[in-house]
Amino acid sequence: MSFFGEKVFSASLDVLDEIRAYVSAAAAHTSLEKKKIYKLQLSVDEIATNIISYAYQDREQQTGKIYIDAEFKTDSLSIQVRDQGVPFDPRSKLEKGQETVSLSVEERAIGGLGIYLAITGVDKYEYEYMNGFNVNRFEVYLV
């Protein structure tokens, strides 16, 4: 097991390209196929966007932080995304996304699909609220 250094980002839409680059750089140290790297980037991007948009709304004139690190195992790559915003378990919105997928395009409401795609786009997703942090873990298998 080895780690790809933690990086701290301001919770601002301006950093999404940097977050995607971090995920891409971590994945470059693996044998992941491009399709899995793309899905991992989308998953992390969706959760980061939700953190930026909602986690720190109650703070006045203070931008929150997003902490990201990667862990390499023999058979997988894990990306962990943490924030100290309002506690929020994205899995609570999973059912809405599943319902959205079952509707025709004309019947779908805006929203709800991103979290569903983020969680189902990786091999394993976990969430926990620990020591004042929302902790989102994305894992993709190398084989």
Side-chain angles (χ1 to χ4, degrees), residues 73 78 118-119 121-126 137-141:
K73 297 179 186 169
S78 295
I119 292 172
V122 293
D123 294 314
K124 184 176 179 183
Y125 172 83
E126 297 175 326
R137 285 187 200 91
F138 305 86
E139 187 169 2
V140 288
Y141 304 135

Side-chain angles (χ1 to χ4, degrees), residues 43-80:
S43 294
V44 171
D45 187 72
E46 177 61 31
I47 295 301
T49 300
N50 276 289
I51 292 167
I52 292 163
S53 300
Y54 305 111
Y56 296 107
Q57 282 184 341
D58 295 341
R59 295 188 181 182
E60 291 190 27
Q61 297 180 346
Q62 182 183 8
T63 303
K65 302 285 183 211
I66 299 173
Y67 306 82
I68 301 181
D69 61 72
E71 180 182 344
F72 305 99
K73 297 179 186 169
T74 326
D75 60 348
S76 67
L77 167 63
S78 295
I79 302 288
Q80 180 173 264

Side-chain angles (χ1 to χ4, degrees), residues 60-127:
E60 291 190 27
Q61 297 180 346
Q62 182 183 8
T63 303
K65 302 285 183 211
I66 299 173
Y67 306 82
I68 301 181
D69 61 72
E71 180 182 344
F72 305 99
K73 297 179 186 169
T74 326
D75 60 348
S76 67
L77 167 63
S78 295
I79 302 288
Q80 180 173 264
V81 179
R82 300 180 304 124
D83 70 87
Q84 292 179 295
V86 176
F88 174 69
D89 183 349
R91 296 173 302 185
S92 66
K93 300 292 184 186
L94 193 56
E95 189 175 305
K96 179 177 171 133
Q98 289 169 328
E99 290 170 2
T100 301
V101 169
S102 67
L103 298 173
S104 70
V105 174
E106 296 81 22
E107 296 174 303
R108 291 180 186 177
I110 294 174
L113 193 55
I115 288 176
Y116 172 80
L117 294 173
I119 292 172
T120 60
V122 293
D123 294 314
K124 184 176 179 183
Y125 172 83
E126 297 175 326
Y127 168 86

